[in-house]
Amino acid sequence: MATALAALVMASPSFSVNVACVGNSITEGYGIWSEKKYPEHLQELLGEGNTATNFGASSMTFANKGADDNMSYWNREQFKSALASNPDIVIIELGTNDSKFFTDKCIWNGTEKYNYNFGQYEKEKLYTDYEALIDTFAHLPSAPEIFATLQPYSNNCDWGIMDTAIVNQINPIIKETATRKGVNIIDLHSLFKTPEWFLDDSVHPNATGAQELAKIVNKYITMAKPVIKQNGATLQAEGNAYGYLWYKDDKLIDGADKPTLTLNAIGKYKALVKVENDNDTWLSSDELEVTKLGGTTKIKKRTIAKPKVRKLNHKVDVKGRRAD
């Protein structure tokens, strides 16, 4: 498995990628209205002919309390537009506002503040809502590759957003659900926490932060995929990594967390691999179809609307910036 950015080759002009940036006000660009938002910076990094569209909506949750919930992303036009965009890649940056369900009260400038959202939503329902969000995008005709983000640092008592709730409640829900579904995970909480990248509200990226956020996202959506190969009755994840999870027919295999997997049945396999030691980012391999236990590698080719982002017309450096 390659743990550095792929050496991207010059591609035909016919190749393009369509990225849907789904999210809350962090994606929308709250507070930097006259500046470029992170999806705009991302499009510049991806290069000409590729598209990164901002489908962010401020104050929205991934929780879905029904059609009358005006704080749910499910009920926003941005959600419908993201689905209609037929994306090749979906980046889901939601959860910061869901932390309000776990923040009861805090002290803000010497005053005790209470959160009206506290306890208004069942934790178990958050798991099912996030899973449904992943499934809704995954089942689009374009069969997009999905990247779930662990939410970045945010701490604003006045808004009922506390980092303790994000760390102890929301990000574990996101990680557990994304892991169960076998989708990519970008650990924004570890990677996006530099104080100089935030507005004074300690929640939203400033103009510099929007650019840095785009670099982080670009790095991982263009990073070389983990590679798995079959050797007889064994699957092997190639290269160095820092964690492994294996899947058969889109189901997580209990206890399968080593670089190799002993096969006992034919089927479609893939691995989710932790790609770096200093953060909790995981990337998924392509699916490999095992047709016989004594066979060799046979990668299953999916029929998709467009090639994936790893076929771009430029090179990038280790920080996700254009190098040509």
Side-chain angles (χ1 to χ4, degrees):
M1 184 205 74
T3 56
L5 281 176
L8 301 174
V9 298
M10 296 299 290
S12 163
S14 63
F15 288 129
S16 63
V17 64
N18 180 18
V19 181
C21 300
V22 170
N24 50 41
S25 55
I26 294 171
T27 294
E28 184 183 32
Y30 174 92
I32 53 170
W33 309 119
S34 62
E35 306 285 348
K36 290 181 180 179
K37 321 306 186 289
Y38 111 72
E40 296 173 72
H41 288 294
L42 179 60
Q43 179 161 349
E44 290 179 348
L45 291 169
L46 294 176
E48 186 177 355
N50 303 294
T51 304
T53 304
N54 191 337
F55 295 109
S58 291
S59 303
M60 295 300 106
T61 67
F62 66 75
N64 181 13
K65 291 190 282 186
D68 295 331
D69 181 11
N70 62 6
M71 301 300 290
S72 173
Y73 190 80
W74 292 84
N75 298 328
R76 305 299 294 185
E77 287 301 319
Q78 288 91 334
F79 178 46
K80 298 174 185 177
S81 297
L83 294 173
S85 72
N86 209 33
D88 302 306
I89 289 178
V90 179
I91 302 158
I92 302 177
E93 180 277 306
L94 285 166
T96 298
N97 294 302
D98 298 83
S99 69
K100 297 175 183 178
F101 298 125
F102 301 98
T103 301
D104 182 7
K105 60 184 178 180
C106 58
I107 304 298
W108 187 253
N109 292 331
T111 303
E112 195 171 70
K113 297 279 186 176
Y114 291 85
N115 185 1
Y116 67 93
N117 280 337
F118 174 71
Q120 288 194 6
Y121 208 67
E122 294 180 7
K123 185 175 180 178
E124 289 305 313
K125 187 71 165 55
L126 289 172
Y127 285 97
T128 58
D129 285 352
Y130 199 84
E131 180 174 359
L133 189 64
I134 290 174
D135 286 341
T136 301
F137 283 108
H139 293 156
L140 289 173
S142 58
E145 189 167 8
I146 295 172
F147 290 78
T149 72
L150 302 183
Q151 289 305 95
Y153 172 88
S154 291
N155 215 42
N156 189 314
C157 173
D158 205 32
W159 292 345
I161 297 172
M162 299 300 292
D163 198 58
T164 51
I166 292 173
V167 169
N168 296 322
Q169 302 291 344
I170 296 304
N171 282 346
I173 290 171
I174 293 172
K175 182 181 177 181
E176 182 179 336
T177 306
T179 297
R180 187 169 63 250
K181 301 299 294 183
V183 301
N184 305 283
I185 301 169
I186 301 177
D187 181 8
L188 291 185
H189 197 273
S190 296
L191 296 164
F192 193 84
K193 60 183 180 181
T194 302
E196 290 77 18
W197 293 351
F198 288 84
L199 294 174
D200 290 341
D201 60 27
S202 298
V203 174
H204 301 102
N206 57 26
T208 299
Q211 189 172 22
E212 296 299 327
L213 181 56
K215 291 176 185 177
I216 293 169
V217 171
N218 181 64
K219 175 180 177 179
Y220 294 107
I221 69 174
T222 59
M223 182 176 278
K225 276 178 166 289
V227 175
I228 60 174
K229 291 188 177 181
Q230 181 182 1
N231 183 12
T234 301
L235 293 182
Q236 172 79 45
E238 295 194 325
N240 296 322
Y242 302 92
Y244 306 87
L245 296 170
W246 291 89
Y247 299 78
K248 177 180 181 293
D249 299 329
D250 291 325
K251 302 293 184 184
L252 181 64
I253 303 173
D254 187 40
D257 58 0
K258 301 294 187 294
T260 59
L261 176 70
T262 301
L263 297 168
N264 54 26
I266 61 173
K268 300 171 185 176
Y269 292 83
K270 70 176 183 179
L272 194 65
V273 176
K274 187 176 185 291
V275 296
E276 292 171 338
N277 190 42
D278 62 349
N279 67 80
D280 209 15
T281 296
W282 295 69
L283 298 182
S284 174
S285 72
D286 282 324
E287 195 173 63
L288 184 149
E289 185 170 11
V290 174
T291 57
K292 57 181 180 180
L293 299 187
T296 56
T297 296
K298 180 180 179 182
I299 299 293
K300 177 182 179 293
K301 295 183 178 179
R302 295 193 303 164
T303 301
I304 57 177
K306 297 180 181 178
K308 292 302 180 188
V309 73
R310 293 170 181 82
K311 293 183 178 180
L312 298 180
N313 56 2
H314 66 272
K315 296 182 180 181
V316 293
D317 64 16
V318 294
K319 291 186 177 181
R321 300 173 298 197
R322 290 191 64 162
D324 55 356

